[in-house]
């Protein structure tokens, strides 16, 4: 039983490695119910968990209420002055006084159980349901909140609805970890002391954003990659979002996460409800590395739609052609790609409408009449004849003012009455909160996939929201921020239901939509438009903190790189991209015969280790990626794969030996390169000496080390 009742009002939520104890405290004077977290840490027996509920409570000063940070959902009301997780207005009263209605445990099958705690306001017909789901094969705990307006009441205005608040146990100090970034510099890992007060991580862009990602990890300041306690909170949502960490002056930290951003209002009519997306919590006592591996396993088992598949090696034609897409050129590229061992060929932007540049035709999803007068069928038949699967780039949420669609339906764009329509990247955003827009999008996407026999869509979204209104539905103005994202989920989900063999990649101008929400509907995500191998190392390092390699699309492109102008050896570019889902994106006709031959061999090498890279346990080894000697290791069954990097070949300082980890200390491992055999204990304690780490040689040296357990 993952959910263990301890008494009438307390429950222990148990995972393989942790226990999360929660309960409902009822004030004997006011009758107000406060669901609280009592414990979150190493796994306890039920007897020990019961004792935890009896521990003395922290001292509460009459001048403050630090205990509110322990609440599962601090409401705006009563003697609370912190950042609320739930804020509602009943007429002129912006205050909630919850009472306990009931609580129950539900068996969801497959080793999952759900606890629902139902609360109701003391006066108004308004309910709040706190839900907790736990599974017996993961340490990740899922929480979400549902609010309901009673059918006999009047409308209620919701101005804040977080999915849940998590309390981090007391410590002498706190450190936060997260990622920040910008376009072409996404997912940059940052760690630092958590200041006293409130620290907010957010996106107000309508999408997850390049600037931040909806997760945070908290530790006491001493956790390392392999040791120490780490608490993580992540939001499974792809629109605007907010995570608020509160570090009380008296001690104690909480993290509250939810969709929307400050200022979003949702009016609930009588009988309506609003369900928040899951906010996920994870405790690990094995440092950041073990925490990441637990997140990866959760994603593979319970998030990604095709977790058992091996993602194919793809080729994308964008850098070779830009908008100048023609059948003859695409088939020329396809022949070269097929000869390299590519398994999936993706035609990028420029195939539709009058799309000769980025100022036109988004929304006109029919073949370019001048370049493809006979349609796209012949091109994709030719690609399949070469033994590859076929894919296509689309941007269903984008709209050009210079398009047939905009001239026919200007009202479909997000806009506000008596306000200009700001363009970004020469385009507007379609309102996917509208039924007619979703019906239109699903219709042409389904026809495109069916008629062309497509196996793959690269779904792009290239700009944040501006003037995010819906004048025809005044009451729904603020709902757009939430319903647009839900609409995207709906279309993706229905499209996959209709076409079960279809696979989708999420892209948003690079890494602008990377999160556990979109990953429920997509097979992989695009972390960054920057394909410079050295810059990609830091992007991939940040990505790996939460998300698995099987969902990370990584390309080998031309040198010098189109974004940075940096030149790098082909081998280094491949070894960086081989740490995820390998793709090729270069202008192949410009590659030399030697480069093509080397690329074919490297692709063949990747295929031999692909199961381990995409489905194995990942270990981040020594060094700062992209800045000094570093390595990343994968283990699956008997195979061990290590990618070793040395961006600064003549650096005199740094490790000379690479110590592996995650091996069986008593087993022998054979090095594929020379057949030598070493005990796991030796490899972990003494390490190996990679040739790429020698302090004499050119910059950007790398190697792939493969071992097999004998």
């Amino acid at each position: 039983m993952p959910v263990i009742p301890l008494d009438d009002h307390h429950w222990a939520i148990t995972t393989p490695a942790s226990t999360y104890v929660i309960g409902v405290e009822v004030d004997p004077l006011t009758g107000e119910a406060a669901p609280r977290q009592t414990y979150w840490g190493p796994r306890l027996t039920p007897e020990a968990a019961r004792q935890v509920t009896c521990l003395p409570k922290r001292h509460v000063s009459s001048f403050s209420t630090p205990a509110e940070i322990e609440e599962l959902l601090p409401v705006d009301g009563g003697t609370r002055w912190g950042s609320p997780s739930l804020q509602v207005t009943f007429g002129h009263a912006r205050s909630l006084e919850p009472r306990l209605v009931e609580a129950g445990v539900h068996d969801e099958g497959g080793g999952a159980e759900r606890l629902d705690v139902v609360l109701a306001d003391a006066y108004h017909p308004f309910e709040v349901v706190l839900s907790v789901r736990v599974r017996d094969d993961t340490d990740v705990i899922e929480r979400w909140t549902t609010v309901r307006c009673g059918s006999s009441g009047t409308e209620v205005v919701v101005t804040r609805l977080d999915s849940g608040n998590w309390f981090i146990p007391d410590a002498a100090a706190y450190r936060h970890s997260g990622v920040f970034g910008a376009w072409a510099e996404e997912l940059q890992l940052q760690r630092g002391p958590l200041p006293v007060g409130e620290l907010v991580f957010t996106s107000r862009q309508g999408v997850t954003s390049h600037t931040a990602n909806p997760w945070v990890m908290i530790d006491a300041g001493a956790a390392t990659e392999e040791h120490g306690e780490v608490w993580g909170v992540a939001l499974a949502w792809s629109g605007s979002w907010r995570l608020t960490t509160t570090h009380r002056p008296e001690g104690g930290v909480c993290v509250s996460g939810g969709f929307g951003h400050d200022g979003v209002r949702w009016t609930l009519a009588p009988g309506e409800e609003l369900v928040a997306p899951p906010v996920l919590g994870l405790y690990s006592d094995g440092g950041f590395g073990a925490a990441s591996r637990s997140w990866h396993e959760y994603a593979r088992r319970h998030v990604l739609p095709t977790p058992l598949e091996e993602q194919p090696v793809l080729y994308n034609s964008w850098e070779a052609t830009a908008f100048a897409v023609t059948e003859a050129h695409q088939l020329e590229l396809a022949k070269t790609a097929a000869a390299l061992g590519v398994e999936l060929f993706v035609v990028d932007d420029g195939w539709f409408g009058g799309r000769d540049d980025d100022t036109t035709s988004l929304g006109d999803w029919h073949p370019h009449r001048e370049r493809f007068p006979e349609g796209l069928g012949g091109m994709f038949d030719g690609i399949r004849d070469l033994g590859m699967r076929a894919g296509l780039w689309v941007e269903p949420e984008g709209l050009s003012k210079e398009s047939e669609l905009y001239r026919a339906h200007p009202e479909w764009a997000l806009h506000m009455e008596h306000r200009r329509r700001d363009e970004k990247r020469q385009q507007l955003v379609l309102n996917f909160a509208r039924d007619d827009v979703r019906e239109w999008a699903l219709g042409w996407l389904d026809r495109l996939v069916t008629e062309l026999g497509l196996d793959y869509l690269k779904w792009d979204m290239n700009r944040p929201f501006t003037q995010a209104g819906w004048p025809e539905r005044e009451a729904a103005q603020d709902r757009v921020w939430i319903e647009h994202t839900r609409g995207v989920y709906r279309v993706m989900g229905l499209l996959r239901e209709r076409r079960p063999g279809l696979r989708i990649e999420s892209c948003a101008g690079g890494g602008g939509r990377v999160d556990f929400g979109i990953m429920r509907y997509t097979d992989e995500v695009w972390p960054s438009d920057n394909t410079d191998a050295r810059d990609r190392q830091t992007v991939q390092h940040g990505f790996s903190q939460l998300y698995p390699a099987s969902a990370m699309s990584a390309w080998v492109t031309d040198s010098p790189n189109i974004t940075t102008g940096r030149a790098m050896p082909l081998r280094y570019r491949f070894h960086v991209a081989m740490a995820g889902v390998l793709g090729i994106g270069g202008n192949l006709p410009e590659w030399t015969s030697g480069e093509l031959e080397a690329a074919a061999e490297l692709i063949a090498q990747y295929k031999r280790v692909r199961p381990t890279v995409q489905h194995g346990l990942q270990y981040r080894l020594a060094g700062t990626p992209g800045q000094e000697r570093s390595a990343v290791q994968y283990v699956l069954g008997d195979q061990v794969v290590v990618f070793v990097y040395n961006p600064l070949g003549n650096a005199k300082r740094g490790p000379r030996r690479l110590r592996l980890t995650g091996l069986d200390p008593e087993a022998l491992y054979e090095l594929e390169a020379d057949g030598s055999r070493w005990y796991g204990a030796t490899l972990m304690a003494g390490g190996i000496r990679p040739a790429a780490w020698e302090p004499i040689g050119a910059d950007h040296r790398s190697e792939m080390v493969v071992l097999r357990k004998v």
Side-chain angles (χ1 to χ4, degrees):
M1 293 176 57
V3 180
I4 302 173
L6 302 177
D7 55 40
D8 289 343
H9 288 164
H10 289 89
W11 301 266
I13 314 299
T14 59
T15 78
S18 67
T19 295
Y20 179 63
V21 180
I22 59 176
V24 181
E25 296 182 8
V26 179
D27 189 308
L29 297 178
T30 66
E32 184 165 326
R36 296 187 187 279
Q37 176 187 316
T38 305
Y39 174 85
W40 188 19
R43 179 163 176 155
L44 302 177
T45 64
E47 293 74 20
R50 287 188 182 89
Q51 287 190 334
V52 163
T53 66
C54 302
L55 291 174
K57 294 180 174 56
R58 65 168 58 208
H59 171 71
V60 177
S61 164
S62 61
F63 291 94
S64 63
T65 54
E68 72 185 66
I69 67 172
E70 299 174 4
E71 294 187 25
L72 300 185
L73 199 78
V75 302
D76 190 357
T79 56
R80 302 176 184 86
W81 293 281
S83 177
S85 297
L86 176 61
Q87 189 176 65
V88 296
T89 302
F90 307 96
H92 298 290
R94 198 187 74 184
S95 179
L96 189 68
E97 295 182 358
R99 300 289 190 270
L100 177 64
V101 176
E102 62 178 348
V105 179
H106 309 274
D107 185 351
E108 296 191 326
E113 288 187 336
R114 187 186 80 249
L115 169 67
D116 289 334
V117 177
V118 183
L119 310 170
D121 184 72
Y123 176 80
H124 298 280
F126 180 78
E127 280 191 347
V128 180
V129 183
L130 307 180
S131 298
V132 184
R133 178 186 290 125
V134 62
R135 308 171 193 271
D136 60 12
D137 63 350
T138 177
D139 289 314
V140 173
I141 299 168
E142 303 170 353
R143 289 185 49 200
W144 66 96
T145 301
T146 304
V147 292
R148 298 174 181 144
C149 181
S151 58
S152 61
T154 58
E155 67 179 25
V156 178
V157 179
V158 180
T159 52
R160 187 73 212 164
L161 173 60
D162 280 359
S163 303
N165 183 61
W166 302 80
F167 176 67
I168 312 301
D170 290 344
Y174 297 95
R175 177 174 59 175
H176 72 279
S177 299
V179 291
F180 70 98
W183 175 80
E185 197 181 5
E186 296 89 338
L187 300 166
Q188 304 298 301
L189 181 64
Q190 62 174 344
R191 288 200 171 108
L194 186 66
V196 173
E198 295 176 10
L199 181 63
V200 178
F201 305 89
T202 188
S203 165
R204 298 181 176 90
Q205 298 187 15
V207 292
T208 322
S209 87
H210 301 81
T211 57
N213 201 259
W215 64 266
V216 65
M217 295 188 197
I218 307 292
D219 74 293
T224 65
E225 189 68 20
E226 297 182 359
H227 304 287
E229 293 186 305
V230 176
W231 289 263
V233 176
L235 186 68
W237 180 246
S238 311
S240 292
W241 56 273
R242 184 180 73 170
L243 288 176
T244 304
T245 66
T246 301
H247 183 182
R248 292 288 305 191
E250 305 90 342
V253 165
C254 68
V255 181
S256 186
F259 57 7
H261 59 265
D262 297 338
V264 171
R265 294 163 60 88
W266 188 289
T267 301
L268 284 176
E272 284 190 334
E273 71 174 25
L274 175 59
V275 183
V279 63
L280 315 171
L282 169 73
Y283 165 80
S284 171
D285 63 359
F288 296 108
S292 295
R293 287 185 289 278
S294 291
W295 285 116
H296 299 169
E297 282 299 297
Y298 169 75
R300 284 191 285 257
R301 292 176 180 177
H302 303 295
V303 179
L304 293 167
T306 55
L308 300 179
E309 289 186 3
E310 292 178 14
Q311 305 295 345
V313 177
L314 67 78
Y315 177 81
N316 182 286
S317 65
W318 171 250
E319 291 196 12
T321 63
F323 296 103
V325 178
T326 66
E327 181 173 323
H329 192 203
Q330 294 297 302
L331 290 178
E332 177 189 354
L333 292 168
K335 289 175 185 176
T336 306
L340 295 180
V342 167
E343 299 158 316
L344 167 66
F345 189 95
V346 182
V347 178
D348 211 277
D349 200 350
W351 59 267
F352 56 92
R355 186 73 162 174
D356 298 322
D357 55 43
D358 64 1
T359 66
T360 181
S361 297
L362 284 177
D364 301 340
W365 300 106
H366 53 75
H368 195 294
R369 293 190 175 96
E370 293 180 10
R371 299 203 204 114
F372 296 97
E374 303 300 322
L376 302 174
M379 179 174 65
F380 284 114
D381 286 343
I383 289 168
R384 280 186 286 269
D385 287 343
L386 292 166
M388 294 184 292
R389 285 178 266 179
L392 193 62
W393 177 94
V394 292
E395 190 176 351
E397 299 157 78
L399 177 64
S400 300
K401 281 188 176 179
E402 183 55 44
S403 68
E404 299 165 18
L405 181 67
Y406 185 74
R407 287 188 286 272
H409 292 289
E411 75 279 8
W412 282 9
L414 293 177
H415 68 284
M416 295 178 175
E417 198 169 10
H418 308 306
R419 289 292 179 265
R420 66 178 181 268
R421 300 189 181 195
D422 286 333
E423 292 182 82
K424 194 168 179 63
R425 291 180 52 86
Q426 327 291 328
Q427 65 189 79
L428 302 171
V429 177
L430 279 168
N431 181 0
F432 264 61
R434 297 179 60 121
D435 294 340
D436 47 6
V437 170
R438 293 196 307 275
E439 183 179 354
W440 164 83
L442 181 60
W444 70 259
L445 284 164
D446 192 18
R447 286 193 301 274
L448 197 69
V449 171
T450 304
E451 292 173 3
L452 297 177
L454 296 178
D455 303 286
Y456 189 91
L457 288 177
K458 180 165 183 162
W459 182 306
D460 210 343
M461 200 291 186
N462 273 306
R463 58 153 291 179
F465 291 5
T466 51
Q467 289 89 28
W470 189 353
E472 296 85 0
R473 290 276 302 277
E474 186 175 349
Q477 290 284 2
D478 287 319
R479 295 191 179 201
V480 165
W481 293 88
I482 293 172
E483 288 293 4
H484 178 96
T485 300
R486 287 177 166 174
V488 171
Y489 290 166
R490 209 167 294 135
V491 171
M492 285 184 173
L494 288 170
L495 187 60
R496 295 189 72 116
E497 283 182 20
R498 292 185 182 183
R499 309 299 162 200
L502 179 68
R503 301 295 175 255
I504 301 176
E505 176 184 352
S506 170
C507 177
R513 192 146 65 184
V514 174
D515 57 79
F516 281 138
I518 203 68
M519 285 183 185
R520 290 196 180 277
Y521 304 92
T522 60
D523 304 271
E524 56 188 275
V525 295
W526 180 238
S528 179
D529 281 345
N530 186 350
T531 57
D532 178 294
R534 192 159 154 189
D535 287 353
R536 262 303 180 106
Q537 286 186 260
T538 60
V539 171
Q540 293 177 186
H541 183 69
F543 184 98
S544 73
Q545 303 298 314
L546 217 70
Y547 309 117
S550 61
M552 185 179 72
S553 182
W555 293 0
V556 178
T557 56
D558 295 331
S559 180
N561 183 265
I562 192 173
T563 300
T564 67
R566 182 185 287 140
M568 262 174 288
L570 185 71
R571 179 183 173 90
Y572 197 91
R573 284 177 273 150
F574 261 95
H575 283 159
V576 171
M578 288 162 70
V581 179
L582 177 63
I584 315 296
N587 189 1
L588 295 181
E590 298 297 319
W591 289 21
T592 68
S593 59
E595 288 175 323
L596 293 173
E597 184 179 345
E601 174 55 32
L602 287 161
I603 289 172
Q605 290 178 16
Y606 176 74
K607 290 178 180 178
R608 291 197 292 270
V609 301
R610 174 166 49 188
T612 299
V613 171
Q614 294 188 8
H615 301 302
L617 296 175
Q618 184 185 54
Y619 298 86
R620 298 180 292 262
L621 304 183
T624 303
Q627 300 178 29
E628 57 185 341
R629 300 180 186 98
S630 66
V632 59
Q633 172 188 313
Y634 305 85
V635 180
L636 181 66
D638 293 339
Q639 190 177 66
V640 181
V641 180
V642 188
F643 294 104
V644 182
Y645 308 106
N646 186 357
L648 302 174
N650 286 317
K652 301 300 186 288
R653 301 189 63 181
R656 299 291 185 267
R657 302 194 68 84
L658 174 62
R659 292 195 297 177
L660 307 186
T661 189
L663 308 182
D664 180 347
E666 298 181 359
L668 279 172
Y669 290 83
E670 183 174 285
L671 270 167
E672 185 181 87
D674 61 13
S676 61
R677 295 184 174 186
W678 305 86
Y679 283 107
T682 306
L683 294 169
M684 291 189 290
I688 61 175
R689 187 173 178 124
W693 273 13
E694 294 297 332
I696 300 174
D699 290 349
H700 303 116
R701 285 181 289 138
S702 62
E703 61 185 291
M704 181 177 75
V705 178
V706 181
L707 305 95
R708 185 165 296 280
K709 186 177 178 181
V710 179

